[in-house]
Amino acid sequence: MAGRINDDDVKAVRDAVPIDAVVSEYLQLRNAGGGNLKGLCPFHDEKSPSFQVSPSKGFYHCFGCQAGGDTLDFIMKIDHLSFSEAVERLAGQAGITLRYEEGGYTAGTSGRGERIRLVEAHKAAALFYAEQLGGAEAEIARRFLAERGFDQAAAQHFGVGYSPAGWDHLTRFLRGKGFSDKELILSGLAQDSRSGKPIDRFRGRLMWPIRDISGEVVGFGARKLREDDNGPKYLNTPETAIYKKSQVLYGIDLAKKEIAKTSRAVVVEGYTDVMACHLAGVTTAIATCGTAFGGDHIKILRRLLMDNATAEVIFTFDGDAAGQKAALRAFEDDQKFAAETSITIAPGGMDPCDLRLAQGDAAVAGLVDARTPLFEFALRHIVARHNLENPAGRAAALAEAAPVVASIKDLSIQHESAVQLAGMLGILDEQFVVKRVAQLARWARERGNQPQQQGRGRPQEPVPAPAPASVGGGPALNLRSPAHRTERELLKLALQRPALVSPAFDAYGIDEFTAPPYAAVRQAIQDAGGAAQGTEDYLARVREAAPNDTVRAMVTELAVEAIHTKTVDEVYAGVQLVQVRLRAVDRRVLEIQGALTRLSPQAPPEQHAAIQQELWVLQQYGQRLRNRGAEGL
């Protein structure tokens, strides 16, 4: 059984893979100032980016949900991996060979993380299927692709393959690679047979590898090719530990960079449609995998689109009844996007693949350009169900359509849509419709169902503010307190720029930090050897010294949060050092003055003298700090 991964190898993995490179595989990052990057948090739903990454520190922190840590923590959390699995994945990316203590490691043993093993099995299967596509048996698969306009280069670009028609070709191949029967069943690549032995799940089919946003193969889509195949037309990998069909988008690994760059995503309905779009130059195309487009898919796109003012999601659906139903289902989720949503339907009800075959690449690009706002499509669909030739029909159509317009968050679009609705209904008094929509929107806001918000789900982006926190049941931070703000700033300097506050900082007592969370961080810095020991692995040692996950999260938060000045230098650091120390001196002065007041007149004179002496020393020290600043420390 595999043992513990060597500590030096873990450190090598952390150092080898930049955190911004890893995080940007899952969400779009942009400049946040101070050397940091920001994006929409992948761990909770938000519309303004509160998730920050510090490439220089190797940490991330979300000021919304308080998630934070280093590169390994991010991989563990986002992909639900164990520590060893996260190390193994990043080591594979970096080309680092890991050493395992307590007896070493042999490939294929049960000590390897389950998820890593399932991903490796899929990777091997994808290579196997791709190689089979060139064989004699796969001629029917190659002909299928050619008839749809896809040559060998296209198949290679998308990793398309072929699963042999025999019972256990892939199963025997993967066994030879060291995978157990249990792993093959868990991966969904094989299934139990009546004889009790595993057999291939996919047989005699055209195979599309389905990759997650990081590019790992997590499943397959398989298309029937022969009439004697009694299975469904399309067969997908079943739900497994690594494949959840509601959380994957086919083509996202190829499209993500262009989606982030152009702030546009094109949602199509099938694998061949994705291929056709990409080959026609529409490289932002993606598709769901055997399920309707839903909330988890929206979250994936929103992290890439960053909800900026130009973000757009374009749906392409067939012109038949099923396509229209899918479009209306997508409209129900429209307000979950902080992006414009549109729909486009090819002439004659063709899908993008058919359109490319019939009219060429330019027609596919033109299809995307000829889009219609999704809410306009929904309105027209609603209006078409009513008889507008009589007042009763127009009234019924208005009653059904007005709430749809009232749900639009952008007030300017809401007003324009109300005027447009009046024209659709043939109501000459457009102000009547406008007022009716506004009334419905106001009632919804008063009930709390539809908060008023300028912009289509895009509030003005605030500067991320740390949430209240406590440690060990202590009081929450009060960030309006000047003392707490200064203590926070000094700790950020001690973590991010330790050389600027050393060696003075290490002489500060734990009790000089009045907020319990900050006192706990100060203690962790001390336990890690102090700020003067701010070497390469300094932050990692401070996090390791933290007594619990709450303090560890606070360390990460302070290590990532921007320092509140454009010029971070010794002068600024000195001001923070002086302010924290001066407040501590002033607090002690008040305590001594209180003690003098409470001291009995019958107390020994030497006791009075000792207290008076301490008070005088502190007052002189405080005055020196006020007059000389950091030189008086």
Side-chain angles (χ1 to χ4, degrees), residues 502-532:
S502 298
F505 178 86
D506 289 336
Y508 280 43
I510 306 301
D511 59 351
E512 294 190 59
F513 294 84
T514 58
Y518 297 160
V521 173
R522 172 66 189 94
Q523 182 70 61
I525 294 174
Q526 179 174 302
D527 293 344

Side-chain angles (χ1 to χ4, degrees), residues 321-340:
Q324 292 199 12
K325 183 178 180 181
L328 293 173
R329 188 165 54 238
F331 176 71
E332 293 175 3
D333 287 327
D334 174 66
Q335 296 293 305
K336 295 180 182 177
F337 285 104
E340 302 296 338

